[in-house]
Amino acid sequence: MKPLLYESFKRTLSTLFKEPVKVIVAFSGGSDSVALLHLFWRVRKEFPWEIKAVHIEHGIRGASSQKDADFAVCWAKEWGIPLEVEHINVPEYVKKNQGISTEEAARKLRYEVLKKKAQIYGSSVIALGHHADDQVETILLNILRGSGLAGLRGINLLREEAGFSYLRPLLGFTKQEILDYCTYHQLQFVDDETNFQTDYTRNRVRLELLPLLQSYNPQVKEALLRLGEAAEETEKYLDDELNNAKIPLLKGPGWLGVELNQINHLHPLLKKRLYRQMVQKLTGYFPDYKALMALESLTKEMKGTNYYCLGSGLVASREYHRLFLAYDWETLPEPKTLLAIAKEGQLVDPGWKLEINSLAKDKINLGLSTPYSEIIDEDKIKSPLRLRKRKNGDLFYPLGAKGEKKLKDFFIDLKVPKRIRDRIPLLVDAEDRIIWVVGFRISELVKVDENTNRCLQLRIVQSCQAGSPVL
């Protein structure tokens, strides 16, 4: 046992908190939580820290679980520490929520209880008994799951989330040091028999994988802890770099956005970090690798509009030079490319108008094409051209496609939400063929090719009227 374990514990608290606070201590009755609660008991004798223990009975181990709860009550009473016991039913929750593991369900319900008790107690600090061996296991688990740099940090000493501070003051101590502390102070504790079963992934890592790795490198735990420290330092540096960039975010009810033109100068690592932070600010959790890659892919192309469902409770929309994240499709701000049509050929928005200009062959520059400006082969259309909304049965031959398809399918392929499809202007010719889905794509049937002699430049332009809307 480190002779100054208690002094180190006090230093950790004084470093993290300017003054004593109220703390909810998660108390399972195991050696880690017994040492943690005893350390707080000692601190309370010197400083005005207020502590309350919470024991959570998970409903998994039957009589054995209830026996642990009884032990927790007796232990807390012996040391004069207020304690509450909360009963939850993890198996029932797993049954009702298919796809979630027992481990995940227990953790989710446990944290909900701790937050509820903290609110009732008037505290925002929740102390947990994780130690250095837990840190090693977490880093290994994150590696096995395909974690990025952030996951290599493992568990944070102090994590702020949704108004709560999750404190783990034993992270600097090994399991053996904690056991030695309990022995030295003659502290009784209980052992959860499920900790020695290989039904759970974390247990398998601790009981099977780590001993195997130690046969290759006896100091593998120390090596993994150093890796976590290096990752933490790198993460902090990247956070500082992104904060110094001062990227402004667009905000609205249930959505966040960013001007992609303002982040072009950022290193790809910082862009990914920005996307991760946006997701975390909106949802409370960080995106997984698949979602992050989808966001990166979505923002590489600045032309047109695209949408992506990133998972339950999170969608993304890239509208030319803007990226939006929202809880669902209905929460997304409406794209500025939508121009409502009052009647054929006339836009409702008075600040905008459709311009059609002829271009000589030697003036053709396909680089002029933008979401609001396209060039087509004049000889391939039947005049006059007009604007209209979509209608049932519309067919469209998108530029670059292999053939004609339903306009509905075109929108579906681009993941354009139903709510905005009626507000996307369609430019059609005298035969009612769709020439241009404004803001998205022209028809393959009117594209400029080597045989083109005459061109038309189509443009949705802003008039000189004051107060016109800005795309």
Side-chain angles (χ1 to χ4, degrees):
M1 180 188 70
K2 291 181 180 178
L4 299 179
L5 188 149
Y6 174 60
E7 295 301 321
S8 177
F9 182 83
K10 283 198 302 183
R11 280 197 302 273
T12 297
L13 296 184
S14 62
T15 300
L16 296 175
F17 301 93
K18 294 180 180 179
E19 57 187 24
V21 297
K22 289 183 176 182
V23 182
I24 288 289
V25 181
F27 185 64
S28 67
S31 58
D32 312 331
S33 64
V34 162
L36 177 65
L37 194 53
H38 186 261
L39 286 163
F40 269 113
W41 175 82
R42 292 177 67 183
V43 166
R44 191 181 66 172
K45 293 174 65 177
E46 293 189 54
F47 307 100
W49 284 75
E50 296 182 49
I51 59 174
K52 183 171 185 176
V54 175
H55 177 87
I56 301 170
E57 193 276 305
H58 295 80
I60 297 176
R61 298 182 292 121
S64 177
S65 184
Q66 184 57 52
K67 184 179 178 181
D68 289 353
D70 295 338
F71 169 84
V73 171
C74 293
W75 197 99
K77 184 177 180 180
E78 179 183 350
W79 292 91
I81 299 171
L83 175 137
E84 283 191 45
V85 176
E86 186 80 7
H87 297 272
I88 58 178
N89 193 330
V90 173
E92 182 180 346
Y93 185 86
V94 171
K95 187 177 180 180
K96 291 181 179 179
N97 297 268
Q98 294 184 356
I100 189 171
S101 70
T102 300
E103 286 177 288
E104 291 171 322
R107 183 181 187 280
K108 181 179 186 299
L109 295 178
R110 185 164 59 246
Y111 275 80
E112 287 179 358
V113 169
L114 292 172
K115 288 188 288 186
K116 181 180 72 174
K117 295 300 181 182
Q119 288 177 324
I120 294 173
Y121 189 49
S123 170
S124 63
V125 181
I126 297 171
L128 303 140
H130 297 96
H131 47 73
D133 291 66
D134 293 319
Q135 181 75 296
V136 169
E137 293 166 15
T138 299
I139 292 171
L140 264 180
L141 281 167
N142 288 344
I143 291 173
L144 293 174
R145 292 166 180 155
S147 168
L149 183 63
L152 296 183
R153 295 179 303 178
I155 308 168
N156 293 324
L157 175 63
L158 184 68
R159 177 171 62 89
E160 310 281 350
E161 184 179 297
F164 293 95
S165 298
Y166 297 95
L167 171 66
R168 296 174 173 88
L170 300 183
L171 272 184
F173 304 99
T174 67
K175 178 71 171 182
Q176 188 58 53
E177 289 170 336
I178 290 170
L179 289 172
D180 291 343
Y181 179 88
C182 291
T183 300
Y184 182 83
H185 290 279
Q186 299 182 342
L187 302 174
Q188 291 186 318
F189 56 85
V190 295
D191 282 319
D192 182 345
E193 65 271 17
T194 61
N195 288 335
F196 305 98
Q197 299 171 0
T198 55
D199 297 344
Y200 304 113
T201 305
R202 181 176 285 272
N203 288 359
R204 289 186 63 198
V205 167
R206 180 172 65 256
L207 300 173
E208 298 176 352
L209 181 57
L210 266 173
L212 177 62
L213 293 176
Q214 285 174 315
S215 71
Y216 288 90
N217 177 8
Q219 304 301 316
V220 69
K221 288 185 179 181
E222 291 78 3
L224 287 168
L225 290 173
R226 289 195 299 271
L227 175 64
E229 292 170 1
E232 176 67 32
E233 291 176 355
T234 306
E235 283 282 289
K236 186 179 185 307
Y237 170 77
L238 292 174
D239 276 339
D240 291 344
E241 286 294 294
L242 185 56
N243 290 336
N244 291 337
K246 295 183 173 21
I247 304 299
L249 295 182
L250 309 171
K251 299 179 182 179
W255 62 267
L256 285 175
V258 65
E259 296 278 356
L260 297 176
N261 290 334
Q262 294 187 0
I263 65 173
N264 284 339
H265 66 286
L266 292 181
H267 188 281
L269 273 177
L270 294 182
K271 288 183 183 179
K272 290 180 185 177
R273 194 166 203 81
L274 176 64
Y275 303 151
R276 290 181 75 251
Q277 289 186 1
M278 289 175 65
V279 172
Q280 197 273 336
K281 286 180 181 179
L282 191 66
T283 66
Y285 60 84
F286 288 108
D288 59 20
Y289 177 80
K290 183 179 178 181
L292 191 57
M293 291 302 100
L295 278 174
E296 187 178 33
S297 175
L298 192 66
T299 54
K300 280 183 178 178
E301 179 62 58
M302 294 278 192
K303 294 181 180 179
T305 303
N306 210 342
Y307 303 86
Y308 199 92
C309 179
L310 299 173
S312 177
L314 183 63
V315 297
S317 163
R318 196 262 309 133
E319 296 159 16
Y320 307 104
H321 59 280
R322 288 178 175 175
L323 171 69
F324 294 104
L325 300 176
Y327 297 133
D328 51 44
W329 298 123
E330 298 303 318
T331 310
L332 280 170
E334 289 194 347
K336 299 298 184 180
T337 56
L338 304 182
L339 304 172
I341 304 168
K343 57 185 178 180
E344 291 183 353
Q346 186 176 356
L347 300 174
V348 167
D349 302 273
W352 297 91
K353 64 180 180 178
L354 172 66
E355 280 188 356
I356 302 175
N357 299 307
S358 294
L359 283 179
K361 184 175 182 178
D362 59 353
K363 298 293 184 181
I364 295 175
N365 181 1
L366 296 181
L368 294 175
S369 294
T370 72
Y372 317 108
S373 176
E374 293 285 0
I375 298 173
I376 64 173
D377 189 320
E378 184 174 358
D379 295 319
K380 294 179 180 178
I381 64 167
K382 301 290 184 180
S383 296
L385 300 179
R386 59 192 176 88
L387 284 167
R388 67 167 173 83
K389 297 180 181 180
R390 67 171 181 151
K391 61 185 181 183
N392 289 336
D394 267 338
L395 297 175
F396 180 49
Y397 192 161
L399 180 66
K402 294 181 180 180
E404 198 171 49
K405 62 168 64 178
K406 292 181 180 178
L407 180 64
K408 174 183 176 182
D409 292 337
F410 173 73
F411 285 145
I412 291 173
D413 290 344
L414 292 183
K415 300 179 177 63
V416 179
K418 290 181 180 179
R419 66 187 177 89
I420 66 173
R421 294 176 191 173
D422 285 332
R423 295 197 56 202
I424 296 174
L426 306 175
L427 185 67
V428 300
D429 67 1
E431 296 181 348
D432 205 35
R433 295 182 306 167
I434 298 175
I435 302 303
W436 182 22
V437 179
V438 177
F440 290 84
R441 205 175 302 178
I442 62 170
S443 169
E444 175 76 17
L445 301 175
V446 297
K447 72 176 182 180
V448 172
D449 56 31
E450 64 275 8
N451 298 317
T452 297
N453 293 311
R454 298 185 302 159
C455 293
L456 287 180
Q457 183 179 39
L458 314 172
R459 293 203 301 163
I460 299 290
V461 298
Q462 190 174 18
S463 71
C464 296
Q465 298 178 16
S468 296
V470 178
L471 288 183

